[in-house]
Amino acid sequence: MGGFDMSENSAFSKDEFLYPRSRYYGNFTPTNLVLNANLQEFSSQIAILCALETGGKLSGDEAYKQIKRKFKQLKQSRKSLKAGNQPPGVE
């Protein structure tokens, strides 16, 4: 009967199921593409942390700390991407 074929030879892999990616529709630059990928990764990680907290596998405080840490990483990534895009002398 129907359903998902999750075998290794399947065109729809387990990773694609667990960590879906959307294509980028914005103004294409390599920086925007990388930032979009980082945002999608962040979103997936936050969803997992929320599910773990909701399911009682992670305390609210621990989930908050991990989300805060992941947000700082995203912010740093964005800052470093923007720094590489600025003309010399501009901060």
Side-chain angles (χ1 to χ4, degrees):
M1 201 89 207
F4 289 108
D5 177 12
M6 298 297 273
S7 66
E8 286 189 36
N9 296 331
S10 171
F12 191 76
S13 74
K14 180 172 49 172
D15 283 344
E16 290 169 329
F17 178 75
L18 294 174
Y19 310 107
R21 296 280 179 162
S22 297
R23 67 179 288 232
Y24 181 64
Y25 291 97
N27 182 26
F28 177 79
T29 65
T31 300
N32 287 349
L33 191 63
V34 171
L35 181 58
N36 180 265
N38 290 346
L39 285 167
Q40 288 191 49
E41 176 78 15
F42 174 77
S43 174
S44 294
Q45 292 172 348
I46 299 310
I48 291 168
L49 288 170
C50 290
L52 288 170
E53 193 276 335
T54 299
K57 302 294 183 181
L58 199 60
S59 73
D61 287 338
E62 184 59 29
Y64 176 80
K65 287 177 191 174
Q66 288 191 33
I67 290 170
K68 189 173 179 179
R69 183 173 33 245
K70 295 205 178 287
F71 183 72
K72 284 182 181 181
Q73 291 170 350
L74 178 65
K75 235 171 120 173
Q76 183 59 42
S77 169
R78 181 177 175 262
K79 186 184 260 187
S80 67
L81 286 169
K82 292 264 184 194
N85 250 2
Q86 298 295 330
V90 177
E91 307 238 355

